[in-house]
Amino acid sequence: MIKLTDQPINPADILAQVGDDGTGGVVLFLGQTRDNSRGEKVSALEYEAYESLALKQMEKIAAEAKKRWPVRALAIVHRTGHLQIGEISVAIAVACAHRGEAFEACRFAIDTLKKTVPIWKKEFRPDGSFWVEGVPIENS
């Protein structure tokens, strides 16, 4: 499952896409909107995507993860639209025979998504709303 959605992400739906009897480890990463960014109060977020390019890039990430690790199944879902604080903005689930491979592949997928997929974020703050540029991975 690779998709963009303007609807709330349900982790159970994501997990249902990746399990099978040969899977020994499933890693689920959930990105959640928080009420602060770089020391500033944030009241909501909005995500916009260049949909066709974003989906193509997300497919490439999944293919690369499957090439590097013995991934049995992988799902990537990212929200678009207006999100309240605490909502899930991105979910990535990776299933492998062993947990170490699942952790590594999931880390690769979220780090690469943040760097390469054309999805933009607007922060709503008490002093206005601002489109923000990418955040270095070590600070996200």
Side-chain angles (χ1 to χ4, degrees):
M1 168 194 286
I2 304 290
K3 75 176 193 177
L4 297 169
T5 181
D6 62 357
Q7 299 299 307
I9 294 172
N10 181 345
D13 293 342
I14 309 302
L15 288 172
Q17 297 294 314
V18 299
D20 68 21
D21 291 343
T23 296
V26 176
V27 172
L28 174 64
F29 172 80
L30 300 175
Q32 182 172 306
T33 58
R34 63 178 182 266
D35 68 357
N36 64 85
S37 176
R38 293 174 229 135
E40 300 290 331
K41 179 81 176 152
V42 174
S43 59
L45 295 174
E46 183 176 311
Y47 291 93
E48 286 190 9
Y50 178 0
E51 187 169 340
S52 61
L53 187 56
L55 291 171
K56 185 175 179 181
Q57 188 59 34
M58 291 160 71
E59 292 282 356
K60 286 174 69 176
I61 291 168
E64 183 64 26
K66 290 175 181 174
K67 193 183 319 177
R68 292 185 185 194
W69 294 276
V71 172
R72 299 181 64 82
L74 187 149
I76 303 174
V77 179
H78 203 294
R79 280 286 303 271
T80 57
H82 193 84
L83 281 72
Q84 297 301 315
I85 299 304
E87 288 192 82
I88 297 168
S89 57
V90 60
I92 298 176
V94 178
C96 294
H98 303 287
R99 68 181 178 276
E101 300 156 341
F103 276 114
E104 290 173 14
C106 190
R107 177 70 188 239
F108 166 80
I110 186 61
D111 288 352
T112 306
L113 182 146
K114 300 277 280 181
K115 286 190 280 189
T116 65
V117 177
I119 297 173
W120 299 277
K121 177 171 69 175
K122 182 189 278 185
E123 294 178 352
F124 292 85
R125 303 179 191 167
D127 60 342
S129 59
F130 307 91
W131 288 101
V132 293
E133 293 187 31
V135 178
I137 292 168
E138 57 274 4
N139 294 332
S140 57

